[in-house]
Amino acid sequence: LRAEVESLISAAEELGSFLDSPVYEPTVETSTPSLVGQSIGRYLVISLLGRGGMGEVYLARDTQLDRKLALKLLPEQYTADEIRVRRFILEARAASSLNHPNIITIHEIGHFGPVHFIATEFVEGETLRHRLSRGPIAIEDALDIAIQIASALAAAHAAGIVHRDIKPENIMVRPDGYVKVLDFGLAKLTERPAVSPLSDAPTAAGVNTDPGTVMGTTRYMSPEQARGQDVDARSDIFNLGIVLYEMLAGSVPFSGDTPADVVAAILKTDPPPLGDSAPELPSDLERIVSKALSKDKATRFETSEEILAELEAVKGRLEFEAKLDQSEKPKTVPAPPPTLWQTLSQRRTILSVLVILLVAFVALIIRPHPKGDSLALFDDPERLAAWKSSPGPDSIDYRSSPDGKMIAYSSTENGMKEAIFVKQIRGDNEIRVTGNEWQKVSLVWSPDSQQLAFAAMREGQFGIYLCPSLGGTKTLLTMFGERDAPLNIWLKHWSKDGSTIFYEFDANLFALDIASRQTSKLTDFPSSREARDMKDFSISPNEDLVVYRDRKDGQVDLWVTPIGGGDPVRLTNDPEDNSSPRWHPDGERIFYNTSRRGHAHINLAYRDGRRPVQVTRGEGDYRLMDVTSGGTNDRTKIVYSSERDESDIMRVSLDTREDVEVASGLEAEFWTDVSPDGNTIAFQTNSAPTVSKAIYNSNIVVKSSTNVPETLVLNGYDPRWLPDGHRVLFLRTAALGQLPNLWAAGTLGKDEKQITDNGVLLDRYFKMPFNRAQTRDFTCSPDGKQIAYCTRTSGLWNVWTTSIDGSGERNISNNSDPHLRCVCPLWSPDGNRIAYTWWLDTVSDDGGKIYYVSVVEDNRARTVFERPAALRLLGWSHSGREVLIASNNNKSTPGAVDIIRASTVVNIEPKISRLESAYAMSVQLSPDGKMLAFTSRKDGKDNIWVCPTNGREAKKLTENSDPKRYLGSLAWSPDGKSIYYDRQSRWNTISTLNNLH
């Protein structure tokens, strides 16, 4: 056997020399004079946390965001190979988008001179290695840790990411028991080719599976890692099996005096039975570990979801048995000894009960669930209503009646206007309660289910109204000032005695007395008019407590406080953005929304301090709207909404009006850019159910007319071709809340390079259709040598230029006003000037904003046009003497759009024409600057039109007959003979999860 693995010895010893050392372990040293106190970019180094084979880890402070983080510096010997670094960054960035509570959050991946670093969240606690140094871990605790690791792996594997190095050093355990898996992507950085006589796999390393490489810490390798064979998710399952074995037994299952002995044991030797070290171990848990450690990966668990489900089942059974044991404990006063007949009867009864429970448990385990809707605590979902969205922000609210018989909701039936509907839970018919003259509707039921109160905006002014639940006269209760009109007022609760309506406004909770129409403020939070700082107040069934969301310590959690004032108590503590809390009728539990792998899921939190549990699983979206316990069986129901976006790429010819499908599939395809030779397109793909909420977590694909689509980069968006036609520019966001940076990649997937490091300012996009708000967030000079973009440095927004390799960054607008915001820098045809749009982030005396277009020439900016309405810069005329601008304040919905031709060389009146029923964000200027393409919604349907830049002689190109299908994100071919566009639609559904167990 030793001769058989002799060729692996050197590779295994090399790995063992550094991979067996701690990665994130406290060190005796408390300072490193060369780095402590120094700054690496914006990170101030505080102290040394640990040192291992994969580099040094420091505690640092982000001076921009004022938060602590862990800064890992990677050794130069692993980052000198540019290809290896590129592949590592690609995988690490993919891992950073997983957004899972058991996976450490990666804030930034960058470099400082020759040293590459990873900035991650700082986790208080200890590594699992440090915990194991105190001996075996209790069965319940080991199960809990393994479940959290398996949950993290399930998220990673679903995204196509294999960890490759699951071991105790890469598992952090917080004091509250929360587990964080570290170092996704780092194992791949350390790969080394190995020639193995045990493997028929080639030695060339691939991007995904890496055959022919020996990976992972020696004692935690899977057999296929030891052989240098293909590595997939089942290798991580083997690694998890080793970790679980070690937690339960206090020793690793495979050992030896040398690395070669360890490899030999992994390949040929069965580990000692777990029962020898842990006699009280449940047999089904021993079976799970044994299956995970199968040397043949075909006989292991097929997926991490499978082992996760089995571990959770064991944990559930142990908790049930613990409660059963507790309930069978004798009372303080002992009962008289039972007779022989009583003893036999009790034993038969207990045996019968256990048999019934066993049968029910097995039935639950083997019961098939539809993929994506595997629910942990509820029966299968029941759909109540479904419809396709209308264009606009789609601000929909749903509420169940207290008696559990009806549901009320608002739907955008006509552009941005909403109508209120009521539907019986068990019926098919819906009743329209209002007309569609309202906007930003929020609903609440009266306690007797006979009335509805709703907050809404009509004719630019917000008010709160009452009406009968099945329609009738609307009664105004209170009106808000005109300056508050752009804001949302969210109704939260109608008191049990029917006297008071509670609502949220400007991040605070208010009470409206219905009889007197007087309002009182109940909370005193800092005023905030940003949607992300909404408190999402929810009032307890007894109306004595309120739960809300708040941003503290760099994360958004839920808090509970007495409604009359008092000290808040933290309910959740995790990095996810928790939202939409709703009380369980018992007043002790609270449902809420959080994000799992880019999907909205429902969690359940406990006021007694227990760790929250996830209620829903799978790939669906469960956006919590309401909780009710009314109805004939008085069982708890959850009302949730979900959305699904669909998008395909089409091409229409200007000459023949032939409309053909270019790219379609299970994923959404959108945001096309055409190569300079017109033969290849680059576009985004995304598999999230609600694509418009995951734009920044997309992949970029290239497709020619003759070849199948090929993925160019992961975790990128907004692709734009460079003039050479061989490279694509794109944006990539390192972490939530950070500005994206500009990258470039070759069309063969090579030479991926970061160009900017101080961020690129984006103007937002819209929900449906999800058009880009501006023509360009960045633009390349006509000669392909420079890039212009907008960014913020030292608190000031400016237009910057940089060379294509990222060198020679230069501020060309020289703005000194901290209130100024700028977007959409566009080069002139001669490459000597740059036009851009800007505005001041303040309100003028008349309550509006002024928007400007300026041109920079010779480092001097001069304004060429201004207007008290939103401006979107379309481009330059072919002569370079004019800039073309679209103007319309209703950015997301169709209306009259003014097309403005403003001179850049002489002071003359601009020429203005008008497009009717057009989306301002859809208008695109042709490559020769003579034609406009745009989406118009005439006759209630989206279609593509073209016209000269003077707005005359418009011609319709498409014949869309579906009023709920939207056409957007237009892109001209370089020859001006065809137009690419997205064909989009969105489904909204309302469903219930019934019968809480």
Side-chain angles (χ1 to χ4, degrees):
L1 179 61
R2 180 179 298 275
E4 188 179 24
V5 300
E6 191 67 34
S7 64
L8 296 173
I9 291 177
S10 60
E13 287 178 340
E14 185 180 5
L15 285 168
S17 67
F18 67 91
L19 287 173
D20 284 337
S21 59
V23 173
Y24 194 73
E25 194 68 44
T27 178
V28 175
E29 299 178 62
T30 58
S31 66
T32 301
S34 60
L35 285 180
V36 173
Q38 295 189 22
S39 293
I40 297 179
R42 68 170 189 264
Y43 305 117
L44 176 64
V45 177
I46 299 174
S47 63
L48 180 67
L49 291 174
R51 177 181 290 119
M54 276 310 300
E56 298 174 330
V57 182
Y58 292 89
L59 175 64
R61 177 173 295 280
D62 186 331
T63 57
Q64 249 184 37
L65 301 178
D66 192 26
R67 64 182 176 188
K68 290 183 179 179
L69 48 78
L71 194 66
K72 174 166 291 189
L73 306 184
L74 305 177
E76 189 173 355
Q77 65 262 35
Y78 301 124
T79 57
D81 187 334
E82 184 177 349
I83 294 178
R84 176 179 291 173
V85 170
R86 183 180 65 81
R87 292 166 61 190
F88 154 64
I89 291 176
L90 186 68
E91 180 141 337
R93 287 194 182 281
S96 72
S97 67
L98 291 174
N99 197 19
H100 189 277
N102 296 122
I103 297 176
I104 195 166
T105 301
I106 299 175
H107 297 312
E108 184 181 2
I109 302 167
H111 61 88
F112 182 71
V115 179
H116 286 71
F117 67 83
I118 307 175
T120 71
E121 65 174 304
F122 173 63
V123 183
E124 297 277 3
E126 61 180 352
T127 64
L128 183 56
R129 169 65 64 215
H130 193 268
R131 172 64 186 85
L132 283 168
S133 67
R134 301 195 293 271
I137 297 175
I139 293 173
E140 294 80 4
D141 294 339
L143 257 178
D144 186 57
I145 292 171
I147 285 171
Q148 294 185 67
I149 298 171
S151 180
L153 291 177
H157 295 164
I161 299 169
V162 180
H163 189 286
R164 296 175 174 82
D165 197 19
I166 293 295
K167 60 184 179 182
E169 288 81 1
N170 283 338
I171 310 297
M172 287 291 294
V173 183
R174 295 192 327 198
D176 59 2
Y178 228 86
V179 168
K180 292 281 188 178
V181 180
L182 314 179
D183 287 357
F184 275 89
L186 279 182
K188 190 164 188 175
L189 183 63
T190 66
E191 65 194 9
R192 278 161 172 70
V195 181
S196 172
L198 307 181
S199 173
D200 295 328
T203 59
V207 172
N208 295 319
T209 56
D210 305 310
T213 61
V214 177
M215 300 284 300
T217 305
T218 310
R219 290 179 296 172
Y220 298 91
M221 282 184 178
S222 65
E224 53 271 23
Q225 283 177 301
R227 290 187 172 103
Q229 294 176 334
D230 290 359
V231 173
D232 59 19
R234 289 169 293 182
S235 184
D236 280 349
I237 292 173
F238 190 93
N239 303 152
L240 173 58
I242 296 177
V243 171
L244 182 52
Y245 184 105
E246 186 174 5
M247 286 193 289
L248 297 169
S251 61
V252 291
F254 308 108
S255 59
D257 295 333
T258 68
D261 293 330
V262 175
V263 171
I266 291 171
L267 294 175
K268 298 295 183 181
T269 306
D270 291 330
L274 256 179
D276 294 350
S277 303
E280 298 181 357
L281 188 72
S283 59
D284 48 357
L285 183 54
E286 188 171 4
R287 176 189 59 80
I288 291 171
V289 176
S290 178
K291 185 174 181 179
L293 292 178
S294 174
K295 298 185 186 304
D296 182 0
K297 66 180 181 180
T299 60
R300 279 178 226 149
F301 292 100
E302 184 67 23
T303 65
S304 47
E305 289 276 9
E306 186 181 351
I307 189 174
L308 174 61
E310 293 226 19
L311 290 170
E312 288 178 331
V314 173
K315 182 181 179 182
R317 183 178 62 77
L318 292 178
E319 290 176 347
F320 174 79
E321 290 175 351
K323 292 179 181 178
L324 191 63
D325 292 341
Q326 186 68 26
S327 65
E328 290 180 349
K329 286 184 179 179
K331 304 296 182 182
T332 305
V333 179
T339 64
L340 177 61
W341 176 250
Q342 288 173 327
T343 301
L344 294 174
S345 299
Q346 290 173 352
R347 288 178 177 174
R348 283 197 300 269
T349 301
I350 293 172
L351 181 60
S352 300
V353 170
L354 290 176
V355 169
I356 292 172
L357 288 173
L358 179 60
V359 172
F361 178 74
V362 172
L364 180 63
I365 292 298
I366 66 174
R367 172 189 175 192
H369 290 275
K371 184 178 180 181
D373 290 317
S374 178
L375 308 180
L377 300 176
F378 284 81
D379 289 344
D380 288 337
E382 176 184 2
R383 178 174 292 183
L384 301 181
W387 67 93
K388 278 187 174 182
S389 291
S390 291
D394 214 22
S395 56
I396 297 173
D397 200 10
Y398 315 82
R399 291 298 177 96
S400 293
S401 60
D403 62 11
K405 296 180 180 179
M406 295 178 287
I407 183 171
Y409 60 93
S410 64
S411 173
T412 52
E413 289 292 301
N414 182 20
M416 291 182 66
K417 302 299 178 66
E418 300 174 49
I420 299 175
F421 296 85
V422 168
K423 184 182 183 298
Q424 288 186 330
I425 294 289
R426 297 296 176 185
D428 293 329
N429 296 327
E430 61 183 9
I431 299 170
R432 180 188 286 265
V433 176
T434 70
N436 56 7
E437 71 271 27
W438 310 93
Q439 291 176 256
K440 302 184 179 180
V441 175
S442 174
L443 304 165
V444 69
W445 285 87
S446 64
D448 61 3
S449 302
Q450 298 301 306
Q451 288 183 291
L452 284 170
F454 64 95
M457 186 169 69
R458 181 169 62 177
E459 297 178 355
Q461 202 162 18
F462 249 116
I464 297 178
Y465 300 81
L466 293 182
C467 71
S469 60
L470 298 182
T473 303
K474 284 71 178 174
T475 303
L476 176 65
L477 292 181
T478 186
M479 184 70 72
F480 294 82
E482 290 187 7
R483 290 182 66 85
D484 297 324
L487 304 179
N488 283 357
I489 290 92
W490 297 103
L491 300 192
K492 295 298 178 182
H493 182 72
W494 196 325
S495 64
K496 291 184 291 185
D497 62 9
S499 66
T500 307
I501 293 173
F502 298 88
Y503 64 92
E504 177 177 346
F505 170 65
D506 203 9
N508 277 283
L509 185 65
F510 293 79
L512 170 63
D513 183 82
I514 296 176
S516 67
R517 313 288 175 89
Q518 297 299 308
T519 295
S520 55
K521 187 178 181 181
L522 303 180
T523 61
D524 192 25
F525 291 104
S527 175
S528 174
R529 300 195 169 193
E530 297 185 38
R532 66 185 179 89
D533 287 330
M534 281 181 57
K535 297 299 182 185
D536 272 355
F537 295 104
S538 181
I539 296 172
S540 66
N542 291 333
E543 300 178 352
D544 58 341
L545 299 171
V546 61
V547 60
Y548 62 95
R549 65 194 290 268
D550 200 9
R551 187 183 303 271
K552 292 185 179 180
D553 304 325
Q555 63 186 37
V556 177
D557 288 302
L558 299 181
W559 300 73
V560 176
T561 188
I563 200 168
D567 294 331
V569 176
R570 191 177 218 136
L571 188 68
T572 64
N573 189 5
D574 59 68
E576 309 301 332
D577 189 346
N578 302 313
S579 62
S580 304
R582 298 289 187 270
W583 289 85
H584 188 284
D586 63 13
E588 296 298 323
R589 292 176 282 177
I590 297 167
F591 295 98
Y592 65 96
N593 260 144
T594 191
S595 178
R596 296 287 185 271
R597 285 176 277 163
H599 304 287
H601 279 284
I602 299 172
N603 278 20
L604 181 62
Y606 302 85
R607 288 186 58 214
D608 61 10
R610 278 180 283 171
R611 194 162 62 89
V613 297
Q614 186 172 324
V615 175
T616 57
R617 295 193 183 278
E619 299 303 314
D621 264 342
Y622 302 85
R623 301 191 182 279
L624 178 62
M625 302 307 303
D626 210 355
V627 177
T628 179
S629 61
T632 54
N633 59 8
D634 203 35
R635 298 295 294 273
T636 300
K637 297 179 180 180
I638 286 179
V639 182
Y640 72 93
S641 67
S642 59
E643 299 169 335
R644 188 183 79 252
D645 289 342
E646 300 171 349
S647 182
D648 299 319
I649 296 175
M650 308 292 294
R651 183 184 68 237
V652 60
S653 167
L654 269 69
D655 294 333
T656 65
R657 297 204 296 180
E658 181 185 9
D659 203 9
V660 297
E661 188 175 85
V662 176
S664 65
L666 296 177
E667 293 188 328
E669 297 86 9
F670 56 100
W671 286 15
T672 307
D673 197 49
V674 189
S675 63
D677 63 7
N679 294 327
T680 309
I681 59 173
F683 55 91
Q684 287 178 224
T685 66
N686 199 298
S687 60
T690 312
V691 175
S692 59
K693 297 178 182 177
I695 293 285
Y696 303 152
N697 296 317
S698 300
N699 297 330
I700 294 177
V701 172
V702 292
K703 181 181 184 296
S704 70
S705 56
T706 57
N707 296 328
V708 297
E710 294 183 4
T711 300
L712 180 67
V713 292
L714 301 176
N715 191 23
Y717 57 97
D718 201 6
R720 309 286 187 173
W721 288 91
L722 281 166
D724 62 13
H726 300 299
R727 288 175 294 171
V728 174
L729 295 172
F730 63 95
L731 295 172
R732 176 178 279 159
T733 302
L736 185 67
Q738 293 185 6
L739 284 175
N741 273 300
L742 188 61
W743 290 67
T747 53
L748 298 179
K750 298 179 179 179
D751 305 322
E752 187 176 311
K753 178 179 177 58
Q754 184 172 341
I755 297 174
T756 65
D757 56 13
N758 53 1
V760 175
L761 172 64
L762 303 177
D763 203 356
R764 62 195 179 102
Y765 59 89
F766 298 92
K767 279 186 68 172
M768 183 57 65
F770 36 92
N771 289 310
R772 288 173 278 208
Q774 290 294 338
T775 306
R776 290 286 192 271
D777 296 314
F778 52 89
T779 184
C780 190
S781 61
D783 60 9
K785 295 181 179 180
Q786 294 190 81
I787 300 171
Y789 63 100
C790 297
T791 191
R792 179 180 57 194
T793 56
S794 303
L796 297 173
W797 289 110
N798 273 291
V799 180
W800 286 66
T801 60
T802 182
S803 66
I804 195 65
D805 63 1
S807 64
E809 290 180 322
R810 193 160 57 95
N811 177 359
I812 65 169
S813 57
N814 299 310
N815 164 53
S816 60
D817 188 338
H819 298 292
L820 185 145
R821 302 290 183 267
C822 53
V823 293
C824 195
L826 297 181
W827 293 83
S828 62
D830 60 10
N832 294 325
R833 293 163 293 163
I834 293 176
Y836 64 98
T837 308
W838 62 275
W839 66 94
L840 294 177
D841 196 20
T842 55
V843 179
S844 62
D845 294 338
D846 59 1
K849 286 184 179 179
I850 307 296
Y851 293 82
Y852 305 84
V853 173
S854 288
V855 172
V856 178
E857 186 173 9
D858 297 328
N859 287 346
R860 296 183 61 185
R862 56 187 177 86
T863 299
V864 298
F865 184 76
E866 64 180 68
R867 202 183 211 201
L871 302 179
R872 179 172 179 264
L873 191 56
L874 301 177
W876 291 78
S877 64
H878 190 64
S879 66
R881 298 176 63 85
E882 295 176 323
V883 288
L884 282 84
I885 309 158
S887 179
N888 182 346
N889 273 331
N890 295 323
K891 294 183 178 181
S892 61
T893 55
V897 177
D898 287 337
I899 302 299
I900 302 156
R901 298 170 60 98
S903 174
T904 64
V905 293
V906 292
N907 187 20
I908 61 174
E909 283 294 314
K911 304 169 186 175
I912 300 176
S913 57
R914 176 162 290 187
L915 308 178
E916 299 295 342
S917 302
Y919 294 86
M921 297 301 105
S922 72
V923 184
Q924 296 290 337
L925 184 65
S926 63
D928 62 7
K930 298 179 180 180
M931 299 284 289
L932 296 173
F934 60 97
T935 304
S936 177
R937 195 168 180 81
K938 295 182 179 179
D939 304 320
K941 303 178 185 67
D942 277 11
N943 276 290
I944 308 297
W945 293 68
V946 292
C947 68
T949 54
N950 60 16
R952 300 173 184 171
E953 302 173 6
K955 179 176 71 171
K956 186 168 72 168
L957 297 181
T958 59
E959 292 294 340
N960 172 34
S961 59
D962 186 349
K964 296 298 179 69
R965 176 175 287 171
Y966 307 103
L967 314 182
S969 303
L970 280 58
W972 285 87
S973 63
D975 60 10
K977 294 182 178 180
S978 58
I979 295 169
Y980 293 79
Y981 65 93
D982 300 343
R983 184 178 61 187
Q984 302 171 356
S985 59
R986 164 173 295 162
W987 281 95
N988 292 279
T989 60
I990 303 174
S991 306
T992 61
L993 301 177
N994 302 316
N995 301 326
L996 175 64
H997 302 312

